[in-house]
């Protein structure tokens, strides 16, 4: 498994996998990612895009809310938390 022993990951994505997508090229820990997701969720909820509880998990409600936000703001609609979304939401 990517030169590693078989293993499980909290969010189901293996950081050693070449198919694991990151929002940027720097390595981010699951804690950093979860914290960023929570910030996005809180901001979406505050703006009226009901994405559910800010739990740090980017599920279907969060992705749907991100797509609605992106559409409303004239952004590329991909449902992903990327640099453009964070910049637009003033989250760093």
């Amino acid at each position: 498994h990517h030169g590693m022993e078989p293993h499980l990951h909290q969010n189901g994505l293996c950081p050693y996998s070449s198919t694991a997508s990151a929002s940027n090229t720097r390595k981010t820990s699951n804690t950093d990612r979860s914290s960023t997701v929570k910030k996005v969720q809180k901001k979406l909820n505050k703006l009226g895009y009901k994405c559910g509880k800010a739990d740090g998990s980017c599920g279907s409600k969060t992705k749907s809310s991100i797509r609605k936000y992106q559409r409303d703001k004239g952004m590329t609609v991909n449902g992903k938390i990327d640099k453009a979304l964070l910049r637009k939401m003033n989250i760093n």
Side-chain angles (χ1 to χ4, degrees):
H1 188 76
H2 318 294
M4 306 296 290
E5 299 269 335
H7 53 279
L8 298 175
H9 297 279
Q10 188 174 12
N11 64 357
L13 293 176
C14 176
Y16 306 111
S17 171
S18 60
T19 59
S21 63
S23 59
N24 54 36
T25 55
R26 73 178 178 91
K27 296 281 185 193
T28 54
S29 72
N30 286 342
T31 306
D32 287 346
R33 178 82 179 140
S34 176
S35 172
T36 300
V37 173
K38 278 184 187 179
K39 288 176 187 176
V40 169
Q41 289 170 323
K42 286 178 183 178
K43 187 85 168 218
L44 286 169
N45 281 327
K46 184 177 178 183
L47 294 171
Y49 298 88
K50 296 178 176 25
C51 66
K53 184 180 180 212
D55 60 4
S57 176
C58 195
S60 60
K61 283 178 83 173
T62 299
K63 289 176 185 174
S64 176
S65 294
I66 290 170
R67 284 192 292 273
K68 288 176 188 171
Y69 177 86
Q70 289 170 325
R71 196 173 300 113
D72 289 349
K73 299 298 180 183
M75 302 173 68
T76 298
V77 179
N78 59 17
K80 295 180 181 178
I81 297 174
D82 54 18
K83 286 182 180 181
L85 179 73
L86 296 175
R87 198 168 32 251
K88 190 73 158 177
M89 296 183 95
N90 293 317
I91 296 173
N92 35 354

